[in-house]
């Protein structure tokens, strides 16, 4: 329950109240005196909520005590239906015509109208959604749009809010999966980099193992030589081949 009490309005709020009064043909002259009784406010609510307000319950009064009684009745029968109530001190300020109290009250009325407008739009959207069939994923509706100083009707595509929520949840789930795969990919890339560096290191080590040897051709006494590269294991395989081919080599 929102409780209204005395406060000081900002410059912007006072300008908003003044503009609203002009739009609703409410004179700023004798504002405190006029709104010291609840009847002007009851007339405003009667215009917007005719079934809720009975003006016969709020006859115009002259004394402060009777005005306060009218405020208490209106506070209980009408304002409480909008989850709003006036504090006892604020109602006494209104009945006594305290400066600034009427502006605070009208600003609360403006806020109430905004809340009611938002609630009506939300309810209308929910009713519209209920009328759509489940297989109507996309619906074209006509909305009012301000173009310059005028209002024009333009078609606009809309989807069910429940479908939007489902798509949003699916998108979030996919984002989580993508993040997990990206982390795994980064981990695999780091492993591949480490293994690549290790392989390069082993290849460099293996490049140092092969030994370089010069062998002179047997019996020729010449300068021709044959060069070969092979892994050195402590034995000379070429010498073993020469010994087996030349019997005189043992002498």
């Amino acid at each position: 329950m929102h409780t209204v009490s005395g406060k000081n309005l900002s410059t912007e709020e006072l300008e908003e109240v003044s503009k609203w009064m002009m739009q609703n043909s409410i004179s700023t002259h004798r504002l405190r005196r006029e709104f010291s009784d609840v009847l002007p406010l009851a007339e405003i609510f009667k215009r917007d909520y005719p079934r809720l307000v009975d003006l016969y319950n709020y006859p115009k009064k002259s004394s402060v005590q009777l005005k306060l009684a009218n405020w208490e009745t209106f506070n209980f029968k009408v304002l409480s239906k909008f989850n709003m109530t006036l504090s006892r001190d604020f109602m006494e300020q209104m009945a006594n015509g305290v400066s600034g109290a009427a502006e605070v009250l009208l600003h609360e009325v403006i806020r109430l109208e905004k809340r009611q407008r938002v609630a009506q739009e939300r309810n209308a959207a929910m009713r519209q959604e209920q009328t759509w069939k489940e297989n109507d994923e996309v619906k074209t509706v006509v909305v009012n749009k301000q173009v310059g100083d005028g209002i024009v009707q333009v078609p606009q595509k809309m989807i069910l809010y429940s479908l939007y929520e489902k798509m949003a949840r699916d998108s979030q789930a996919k984002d989580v999966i993508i993040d997990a795969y990206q982390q795994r990919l980064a981990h695999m890339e780091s492993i591949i980099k480490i293994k690549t560096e290790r392989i390069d290191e082993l290849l460099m080590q293996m490049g140092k193992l092969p030994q370089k040897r010069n062998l002179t051709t047997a019996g020729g006494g010449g300068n021709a030589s044959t060069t070969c590269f092979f892994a050195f294991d402590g034995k000379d395989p070429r010498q073993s081949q020469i010994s087996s081919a030349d019997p005189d080599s043992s002498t």
Side-chain angles (χ1 to χ4, degrees), residues 189-207:
E189 287 178 346
S190 64
I191 293 177
I192 292 173
K193 181 179 179 181
I194 294 174
K195 290 187 175 296
T196 302
E197 293 176 352
R198 180 57 178 164
I199 291 171
D200 291 341
E201 181 181 353
L202 292 174
L203 289 174
M204 291 177 63
Q205 293 178 0
M206 292 175 64

Side-chain angles (χ1 to χ4, degrees), residues 51-66:
R51 296 183 179 181
L52 187 62
V53 180
D54 188 356
L55 296 179
Y56 292 102
N57 293 328
Y58 314 102
K60 193 172 182 62
K61 302 296 183 180
S62 57
S63 67
V64 174
Q65 291 300 324
L66 293 178

Side-chain angles (χ1 to χ4, degrees), residues 171-199:
S171 178
Q172 292 177 355
K174 291 178 181 179
D175 288 341
V176 172
I177 295 174
I178 291 174
D179 290 340
Y181 277 113
Q182 287 179 342
Q183 293 178 4
R184 292 180 60 183
L185 178 61
H187 179 66
M188 294 297 295
E189 287 178 346
S190 64
I191 293 177
I192 292 173
K193 181 179 179 181
I194 294 174
K195 290 187 175 296
T196 302
E197 293 176 352
R198 180 57 178 164
I199 291 171

Side-chain angles (χ1 to χ4, degrees), residues 38-226:
V38 78
L39 183 58
L41 182 63
E43 291 174 345
I44 294 174
F45 275 78
K46 179 67 175 179
R47 178 195 62 193
D48 297 332
Y49 313 100
R51 296 183 179 181
L52 187 62
V53 180
D54 188 356
L55 296 179
Y56 292 102
N57 293 328
Y58 314 102
K60 193 172 182 62
K61 302 296 183 180
S62 57
S63 67
V64 174
Q65 291 300 324
L66 293 178
K67 290 179 179 179
L68 183 59
N70 271 356
W71 279 108
E72 290 175 344
T73 303
F74 188 81
N75 190 39
F76 175 73
K77 288 189 173 182
V78 180
L79 295 182
S80 60
K81 302 296 190 301
F82 297 94
N83 199 32
M84 183 173 71
T85 183
L86 306 179
S87 66
R88 174 73 181 187
D89 180 67
F90 186 74
M91 287 189 292
E92 291 178 352
Q93 292 181 28
M94 293 298 302
N96 285 281
V98 175
S99 178
E103 287 82 355
V104 172
L105 177 64
L106 293 179
H107 184 258
E108 291 296 332
V109 172
I110 295 172
R111 293 180 59 190
L112 175 61
E113 288 182 350
K114 291 179 179 179
R115 292 196 298 269
Q116 291 299 111
R117 192 179 305 115
V118 171
Q120 291 174 0
E121 292 175 354
R122 185 188 306 114
N123 293 334
M126 293 178 63
R127 288 193 299 269
Q128 181 68 39
E129 182 174 332
Q130 291 175 357
T131 59
W132 292 353
K133 296 179 180 179
E134 290 298 329
N135 58 351
D136 291 339
E137 295 184 354
V138 179
K139 188 79 172 180
T140 301
V141 298
V142 178
V143 298
N144 295 327
K145 185 176 182 181
Q146 184 171 1
V147 178
D149 296 331
I151 302 294
V152 296
Q153 291 186 339
V154 295
Q156 181 174 339
K157 291 185 178 181
M158 303 179 68
I159 64 172
L160 293 171
Y161 186 75
S162 56
L163 180 62
Y164 164 76
E165 286 185 324
K166 181 179 181 300
M167 295 176 64
R169 290 194 298 268
D170 294 343
S171 178
Q172 292 177 355
K174 291 178 181 179
D175 288 341
V176 172
I177 295 174
I178 291 174
D179 290 340
Y181 277 113
Q182 287 179 342
Q183 293 178 4
R184 292 180 60 183
L185 178 61
H187 179 66
M188 294 297 295
E189 287 178 346
S190 64
I191 293 177
I192 292 173
K193 181 179 179 181
I194 294 174
K195 290 187 175 296
T196 302
E197 293 176 352
R198 180 57 178 164
I199 291 171
D200 291 341
E201 181 181 353
L202 292 174
L203 289 174
M204 291 177 63
Q205 293 178 0
M206 292 175 64
K208 294 179 179 180
L209 287 177
Q211 301 295 321
K212 185 176 181 181
R213 298 182 58 83
N214 295 327
L215 298 178
T216 303
T217 303
N223 295 327
S225 65
T226 302

